[in-house]
Amino acid sequence: MRNTRDQAPATSTGTNAAVEPRAADHDLPTVSPLPLMQLSIGFWSFKALATAHELDLFARLADTDGHTIDELAELLGVAQRPVELLVTACASIGLLERRDGRYVNSALADEFLVPGKAFDFGGWVQMLDRRLYPAWGRLTEAVRTNRPTSWNPDEQEHLFVGEDPQLLAVFWEAMHSLSTFTARELGAHVDLSASTALLDIGGGSGAYDIELCRRFPNLRATVFDLPPVCEIASTKLVAAGYEDRIAVTPGDFLADPELPAGHDVVLLSMIMHDWTPQQDLAILRKCFAALPSGGRIVISELLVNDEKTGPPAAALMSLNMLVETVGRNYTAAEYEQWLHTTGFVDVHTVSFDAPGANGAVLAHKP
């Protein structure tokens, strides 16, 4: 008698029988969810950076041979467990290094995250954490309402009017380091050696003017911005030793009917994305009127590509405008059209790679 225990089901042992694939094998996607995982936890890295900065971790480690976890816990006044978790996270993203059991600042953190250093980037981190992180938490609301979430449009005319002076000071301090490195790239790609007087509209802390005047010895400049911002610019210019070559003129480029005259080049850097196309056209008309024949205009921005598919830095900055302003990041083609409409000629775009811009749209007045 045949042993039935050795007899396999006919569906699997017959030479002509097909093996049915398991549903899990059949339905397995061809792409991995890993990119989504990386996207979804992106805020973990930022909050580790922001918390370490807020706790003065990088300042505590500056100019030392490093500290152990126990020493850092005592210095920061917190328990050992959270310090261990925080410094491990910061080391994993390149902000700290571990040497002989002690944590030290990485070169990146030592250069840009230690308060008081020339290119302190901490203000940018603080501004993002205090202002934009909560606003981005309400991004769905901003999409549904088409209104900023970092300030109340019912109570303020725009972002820079009626805002907390301390928070605005943090904003401009944050922009100074960002603008300094962007200005260096702009100067390397846009030749201003033939220009003599630059009007920096919405010039903020004067970082662009300092760097451009440093690169082009014949250039003088004027920072044109709101009065409280001009006070910040004056301090920065004195610290850099450029108060004799760079003037500061208070004003409002939206409200004032005219811009200061006497300049042969106008700079709009990281300004136009804050405003609507109608407001930007009005700004360009004022620029055209203020320039002499042959005068140049330079618009430096993170430009969205003409297909409106990226690049990520420009596209995400544009989305940031939804929670911050009434504007967006525009394409080079849009700027070129507006410049032609305003009367400018020889309109063209140069590309580069910098923290605050990826190109500049140039033109001159006939």
Side-chain angles (χ1 to χ4, degrees):
M1 184 175 177
R2 190 175 180 181
N3 190 337
T4 55
R5 288 178 298 179
D6 297 332
Q7 187 175 2
T11 55
S12 62
T13 60
T15 56
N16 295 324
V19 177
E20 290 291 331
R22 293 177 299 174
D25 292 336
H26 183 71
D27 296 332
L28 192 65
T30 59
V31 295
S32 168
L34 181 58
L36 288 179
M37 183 63 177
Q38 294 169 333
L39 282 173
S40 60
I41 65 173
F43 71 96
W44 292 359
S45 297
F46 168 70
K47 285 300 291 184
L49 163 61
T51 298
H53 180 267
E54 185 176 352
L55 291 174
D56 292 327
L57 175 61
F58 307 111
R60 296 284 189 177
L61 290 172
D63 301 320
T64 72
D65 293 327
H67 291 293
T68 65
I69 289 173
D70 289 339
E71 289 170 347
L72 284 172
E74 183 176 353
L75 285 171
L76 300 178
V78 295
Q80 184 267 350
R81 174 177 175 264
V83 170
E84 178 180 351
L85 300 180
L86 181 61
V87 299
T88 301
C90 287
S92 76
I93 56 177
L95 301 177
L96 298 180
E97 296 175 1
R98 193 168 186 264
R99 300 174 188 167
D100 300 324
R102 308 175 76 83
Y103 287 89
V104 298
N105 286 334
S106 68
L108 181 70
D110 191 62
E111 188 68 63
F112 296 111
L113 293 174
V114 176
K117 286 213 167 183
F119 302 111
D120 180 14
F121 206 68
W124 175 256
V125 176
Q126 185 180 0
M127 189 267 290
L128 289 178
D129 193 39
R130 290 178 54 187
R131 180 185 183 84
L132 290 182
Y133 189 79
W136 272 75
R138 298 166 59 196
L139 179 61
T140 303
E141 175 188 337
V143 170
R144 285 176 170 160
T145 63
N146 193 25
R147 287 163 56 92
T149 53
S150 64
W151 54 280
N152 189 347
D154 294 331
E155 298 176 357
Q156 296 172 229
E157 183 181 356
H158 55 72
L159 165 65
F160 302 105
V161 174
E163 189 56 80
D164 175 8
Q166 283 190 321
L167 197 56
L168 279 181
V170 169
F171 173 84
W172 289 115
E173 188 65 34
M175 294 301 294
H176 190 78
S177 179
L178 184 72
S179 297
T180 295
F181 285 89
T182 305
R184 289 184 181 180
E185 286 300 312
L186 176 66
H189 290 81
V190 177
D191 185 6
L192 298 178
S193 57
S195 301
T196 59
L198 179 144
L199 176 63
D200 188 359
I201 299 175
S205 65
Y208 271 84
D209 310 276
I210 293 169
E211 292 304 316
L212 293 175
C213 285
R214 180 177 286 132
R215 185 177 186 91
F216 302 104
N218 294 329
L219 187 67
R220 302 180 71 86
T222 300
V223 177
F224 181 71
D225 214 319
L226 298 172
V229 183
C230 285
E231 294 178 9
I232 297 171
S234 295
T235 301
K236 293 291 186 182
L237 296 177
V238 170
Y242 276 83
E243 68 272 23
D244 292 336
R245 286 179 60 192
I246 302 172
V248 176
T249 300
D252 186 332
F253 59 78
L254 286 180
D256 294 355
E258 297 178 344
L259 299 175
H263 304 85
D264 58 359
V265 59
V266 164
L267 173 64
L268 290 157
S269 179
M270 298 189 288
I271 294 297
M272 304 290 272
H273 62 238
D274 286 337
W275 314 104
T276 66
Q278 294 75 22
Q279 289 171 313
D280 282 342
L281 273 170
I283 293 169
L284 292 179
R285 292 189 183 100
K286 293 179 185 180
C287 293
F288 188 86
L291 283 169
S293 177
R296 303 176 68 193
I297 186 168
V298 179
I299 302 173
S300 178
E301 285 281 355
L302 278 170
L303 301 168
V304 174
N305 62 32
D306 291 344
E307 296 78 20
K308 296 189 177 179
T309 58
L316 292 171
M317 177 63 83
S318 189
L319 186 58
N320 184 59
M321 293 303 100
L322 184 62
V323 304
E324 271 279 83
T325 73
V326 293
R328 61 180 172 85
N329 283 55
Y330 301 100
T331 67
E334 288 173 309
Y335 285 121
E336 290 173 7
Q337 179 185 354
W338 298 344
L339 288 166
H340 282 301
T341 299
T342 312
F344 288 97
V345 297
D346 189 26
V347 182
H348 61 286
T349 300
V350 297
S351 298
F352 52 84
D353 189 17
N358 60 10
V361 186
L362 314 173
H364 71 263
K365 180 176 177 177

